[in-house]
Amino acid sequence: MFAWMHAWKNIYRQRKRYRLFVPLLLVCALLSGCFLSIAAPCRQFSEQNHREIGMELTETDRQRELQDANARQLGQAASMIQTGVLLVGAVAVLYVSSLMIGERFSDIGILYSVGLTRRQIFFSFFTELCTVCVLVIGAGLTAGSRAAVWWLAYRIRVGVLPTGLEYYIGGNSWVPGCIAAAAGILAFPLLRLMLRLLRQDPADLLRDRT
């Protein structure tokens, strides 16, 4: 119970150490939510539309053909940008989180001195990072998704995108996957923490702080 309470309180105490990690994670989540919410409905609409239209278009369908092409190109471009965001964001978040955990190894000696075990310390760090990750990613994905939905609705209203696209907007089944992916990225620095806790002498950690 003490380790659980300490993890929540430590988020506020260590807020200065999160000054780079939180904005970086928020920007990645915001861009991911935005481009995923654009790419997914556009690509689904293009695939469905391609199956339904197997005949030669008449002259009166030229406007619809142009709108369908816009949706298809928009979906492809958003998918490519989203891939880049995920790759760059994953590397950046992994690097920053590893640095942040590495800076706090000296603090672990204090936790040992008050009687916490290795298991309790690891659980405290794990709870702290996962809580920050879920809250920030959830907020970023939600804001990005809503911005993308508003933008798509506006483009449909002005006639740039087809009206049938609106039936594919709003599917957020990818949100749990994004949160799980971010948690997987954080598993690497946490694994490093666990291995060092197993090898390190608690007295050495406390001595590093002084």
Side-chain angles (χ1 to χ4, degrees):
M1 181 60 70
F2 175 79
W4 179 267
M5 294 175 61
H6 176 80
W8 283 88
K9 292 179 181 178
N10 218 30
I11 294 176
Y12 177 76
R13 293 172 183 169
Q14 300 292 335
R15 60 189 181 278
K16 291 184 178 180
R17 297 187 185 272
Y18 285 105
R19 63 184 180 275
L20 180 61
F21 178 74
V22 169
L24 176 63
L25 195 61
L26 183 60
V27 170
C28 292
L30 187 65
L31 293 177
S32 296
C34 182
F35 288 111
L36 275 173
S37 296
I38 293 175
C42 288
R43 293 180 70 89
Q44 290 175 6
F45 172 81
S46 298
E47 293 174 1
Q48 185 69 25
N49 189 62
H50 177 73
R51 287 194 295 268
E52 290 177 352
I53 300 177
M55 63 187 76
E56 192 175 327
L57 296 176
T58 63
E59 193 66 29
T60 57
D61 294 327
R62 293 301 175 187
Q63 182 64 27
R64 179 184 174 186
E65 183 183 16
L66 179 60
Q67 293 176 342
D68 293 347
N70 290 338
R72 183 168 56 254
Q73 293 173 1
L74 181 61
Q76 293 173 351
S79 297
M80 292 178 62
I81 297 174
Q82 172 60 23
T83 302
V85 169
L86 289 177
L87 291 176
V88 175
V91 173
V93 170
L94 176 60
Y95 177 73
V96 173
S97 60
S98 297
L99 288 180
M100 184 180 64
I101 291 179
E103 291 176 354
R104 297 176 60 182
F105 275 126
S106 58
D107 298 335
I108 296 177
I110 298 297
L111 300 180
Y112 275 123
S113 68
V114 297
L116 266 71
T117 63
R118 287 183 171 89
R119 178 180 177 182
Q120 289 173 323
I121 293 173
F122 178 79
F123 179 73
S124 176
F125 274 77
F126 177 82
T127 305
E128 179 183 336
L129 280 177
C130 286
T131 300
V132 173
C133 177
V134 170
L135 291 178
V136 173
I137 291 179
L141 289 177
T142 301
S145 178
R146 291 187 177 182
V149 168
W150 177 86
W151 186 79
L152 287 175
Y154 170 76
R155 301 291 283 181
I156 293 173
R157 235 177 10 250
V158 298
V160 177
L161 296 175
T163 56
L165 182 63
E166 61 188 6
Y167 297 106
Y168 297 87
I169 297 176
N172 295 331
S173 58
W174 39 264
V175 172
C178 289
I179 296 179
I185 293 173
L186 293 177
F188 289 98
L190 284 172
L191 179 61
R192 178 192 170 202
L193 170 66
M194 182 178 65
L195 292 176
R196 183 160 179 180
L197 286 176
L198 292 175
R199 299 177 191 172
Q200 197 84 15
D201 184 5
D204 293 337
L205 291 172
L206 189 57
R207 194 182 308 113
D208 291 340
R209 184 179 177 86
T210 57

